[in-house]
Amino acid sequence: MNLEDLIPTNEICAKYRVESTFVRSLHESGLIEIITVEETQYVHCDTISEFESLRRLHYDLDINLEGLEAIQHLLGQVRKLQKENLALKNRLNIFE
Amino acid sequence: MDFIDYYKLLELDKSASQADIKKAYRKLARKYHPDLNPNNKEAQLRFQQINEANEVLSDPEKRKKYDQYGKDWQHADAYEEARKQQQASGGRTYTGGGFGNTGFGGSHGSYSYSGNFDEDTFSDFFEEMFGSRARAHGSGRGHHFKGQDFNAELQLKISDVYTSHKQTLSVNGKSIRLTIPAGVENGQTIKIKGHGGPGVQGGPKGDLYITFNIINNTKFKREKEHLFSQVDLDLYTALLGGEITVDTFNGKVKLKVKPETQTGTKVKLKGKGFPKYKKENQFGDLIITYNVKMPDNLSTREKELFKELQKLRS
């Protein structure tokens, strides 16, 4: 994995003004992946938009970690269904 | 420009307390937050509306002004002018808030949510009544967010990706014409920068990720740029050698078969495989595996001859 694609968790905490325990809790709940390289913890840059969304839900809407887990699960299903729907629409377009 | 009933938007009546406003806003925000409604423009619009309603009603000064002028907001400037003239001429003192672009930037402990929506989140009504600078206060927590990434799946036949071609995709109501490069693989995802959701507060647009679902309805097995196929050989060609015609992905080729070819023998046809992804005019190989077919329904004469052959070998 390229180190340039990784963002240290302490930078994330400073930029988004969140506690390190929040990032750790997200990791422990399996909501984001933390990568440790030479004792420094990182988050992959592709995970940032997911992290931002979780941060908003937690801090803006007061949704706790259990709620975030349930939401992630349901959103995964919604996105899967949306993808299927889109694929079917695109297939229909071929015949139009 | 129409009057916007912020109380109606938050499903409140005019006597609602700050606690009621907060409660109503939180309830509706949870329902319409863009993070909870992916790719739902209606929810995004509704969220913007309730955000704006909260911005006004949770700020005592803005609420006072809104309540004071209400539907007559378009005449607010005229009222204000009249008030100033009255003050200048020694009339009674007016203690209400002023108009214009400078009066509503202070902190008052209200809250507003951020999310995946356009920078232009406030209505013309809001801009007109509170001024464009009021949005600096009402712009959430001041973060710049990249817009939401969109995901789409595109199903294609393997023959569709043998050559590069253009295709129009419909993503979130928008038509996007893109070139699908030859050699795209099943499950491969490509990123189209800036075709996702709009950024928040000046943040960049999200990206569009397209995952290809390639349906292989041919007899060729594909592994990256290489193709694999099984070719049946009759016993006599396998034993004595000869020339056969085999199918490749884009036509037929003649192939010499060496004598005494065994089942499972592999032959590589260089450059007759699949195009290499994003490498123009470069192709993988076609690997053919021979499968020697034994003759069946032997005649009496054939059986006699095979027995003769058997005697020769033993």
Side-chain angles (χ1 to χ4, degrees):
Chain A
M1 189 171 286
N2 196 344
L3 207 61
E4 287 172 9
D5 295 335
L6 302 177
I7 305 162
T9 52
N10 56 1
E11 274 185 30
I12 290 170
C13 292
K15 180 174 164 52
Y16 293 99
R17 284 178 265 168
V18 297
E19 303 86 7
S20 59
T21 49
F22 173 64
V23 180
R24 206 162 43 245
S25 303
L26 291 179
H27 170 62
E28 282 164 5
S29 305
L31 293 167
I32 60 162
E33 193 189 354
I34 288 181
I35 301 145
T36 307
V37 182
E38 291 174 356
E39 294 181 2
T40 305
Q41 294 191 319
Y42 298 90
V43 169
H44 195 273
C45 60
D46 289 346
T47 319
I48 287 297
S49 59
E50 196 67 38
F51 167 77
E52 286 175 347
S53 167
L54 292 166
R55 188 198 66 83
R56 287 192 292 268
L57 295 175
H58 181 64
Y59 286 97
D60 292 352
L61 301 184
D62 283 343
I63 292 169
N64 64 15
L65 277 170
E66 290 78 11
L68 292 179
E69 283 176 48
I71 285 168
Q72 283 302 89
H73 172 68
L74 292 171
L75 280 177
Q77 289 185 332
V78 169
R79 290 192 181 109
K80 192 179 159 205
L81 289 169
Q82 284 180 338
K83 272 174 83 172
E84 278 178 18
N85 188 30
L86 195 68
L88 289 170
K89 276 185 183 170
N90 285 328
R91 276 184 81 184
L92 278 174
N93 282 346
I94 296 171
F95 301 106
E96 279 176 3
Chain B
M1 205 184 319
D2 294 328
F3 168 76
I4 299 173
D5 189 338
Y6 291 138
Y7 289 100
K8 200 175 169 186
L9 277 173
L10 292 184
E11 297 164 12
L12 293 166
D13 57 45
K14 279 199 165 188
S15 60
S17 66
Q18 282 299 310
D20 293 334
I21 293 166
K22 187 174 179 177
K23 196 175 162 189
Y25 175 48
R26 188 149 289 190
K27 185 183 158 195
L28 291 168
R30 276 185 173 166
K31 194 173 172 183
Y32 294 108
H33 196 285
D35 286 331
L36 299 174
N37 295 276
N39 306 325
N40 184 343
K41 284 192 172 178
E42 204 178 312
Q44 189 173 312
L45 178 69
R46 193 76 205 274
F47 183 72
Q48 287 171 10
Q49 289 173 335
I50 59 167
N51 231 10
E52 182 177 308
N54 175 66
E55 181 58 32
V56 174
L57 300 184
S58 67
D59 181 331
E61 282 186 63
K62 283 189 192 144
R63 186 180 179 188
K64 190 176 175 182
K65 182 181 172 185
Y66 177 78
D67 287 344
Q68 191 175 2
Y69 294 106
K71 286 180 181 173
D72 296 323
W73 62 275
Q74 280 173 311
H75 307 295
D77 284 338
Y79 290 152
E80 184 68 0
E81 192 57 38
R83 182 187 68 79
K84 277 179 185 168
Q85 282 175 7
Q86 199 176 22
Q87 274 185 313
S89 62
R92 67 183 171 89
T93 307
Y94 175 77
T95 54
F99 279 94
N101 291 343
T102 56
F104 298 97
S107 170
H108 56 81
S110 79
Y111 40 85
S112 59
Y113 299 154
S114 50
N116 289 324
F117 46 84
D118 208 317
E119 187 181 3
D120 192 20
T121 52
F122 290 86
S123 67
D124 292 342
F125 171 76
F126 181 92
E127 297 273 5
E128 190 73 25
M129 190 157 189
F130 301 105
S132 57
R133 283 177 65 183
R135 67 161 58 216
H137 163 74
S139 54
R141 291 166 185 245
H143 295 309
H144 299 271
F145 293 115
K146 184 186 167 195
Q148 192 179 2
D149 290 334
F150 291 163
N151 291 288
E153 192 182 82
L154 183 57
Q155 202 169 58
L156 295 168
K157 288 179 190 163
I158 193 167
S159 53
D160 294 334
V161 290
Y162 188 75
T163 50
S164 295
H165 71 281
K166 286 188 189 299
Q167 184 150 348
T168 305
L169 267 187
S170 167
V171 179
N172 260 28
K174 280 185 187 172
S175 288
I176 298 167
R177 191 160 173 81
L178 66 143
T179 302
I180 300 176
V184 161
E185 283 188 56
N186 184 34
Q188 187 176 339
T189 302
I190 61 168
K191 181 168 95 172
I192 301 175
K193 215 172 158 59
H195 275 84
V200 178
Q201 294 165 32
K205 277 188 170 184
D207 303 319
L208 168 65
Y209 289 88
I210 297 175
T211 304
F212 292 96
N213 180 9
I214 313 285
I215 299 166
N216 189 350
N217 53 352
T218 68
K219 62 180 180 181
F220 298 97
K221 191 182 153 208
R222 181 184 173 200
E223 279 179 22
K224 292 192 172 178
E225 69 268 26
H226 300 305
L227 293 173
F228 298 83
S229 72
Q230 299 261 344
V231 169
D232 288 341
L233 271 186
D234 67 85
L235 176 69
Y236 309 103
T237 310
L239 279 172
L240 305 171
E243 198 175 69
I244 57 166
T245 305
V246 296
D247 290 325
T248 68
F249 201 86
N250 63 343
K252 292 179 185 292
V253 292
K254 280 189 175 170
L255 207 60
K256 278 187 177 165
V257 180
K258 285 181 185 171
E260 296 172 26
T261 295
Q262 305 289 322
T263 279
T265 300
K266 289 185 190 330
V267 176
K268 188 197 278 184
L269 302 185
K270 219 169 161 51
K272 287 289 177 187
F274 218 68
K276 290 185 182 178
Y277 179 67
K278 288 205 169 174
K279 287 184 179 168
E280 213 174 329
N281 297 323
Q282 288 188 40
F283 290 80
D285 304 325
L286 169 62
I287 291 111
I288 286 170
T289 305
Y290 287 130
N291 180 29
V292 180
K293 297 286 276 186
M294 289 296 155
D296 52 11
N297 299 321
L298 295 177
S299 65
T300 313
R301 177 72 182 137
E302 280 175 317
K303 282 179 188 168
E304 283 171 6
L305 287 171
F306 275 115
K307 277 178 187 167
E308 289 282 315
L309 285 170
Q310 194 181 25
K311 280 177 194 169
L312 282 173
R313 299 290 284 183
S314 57

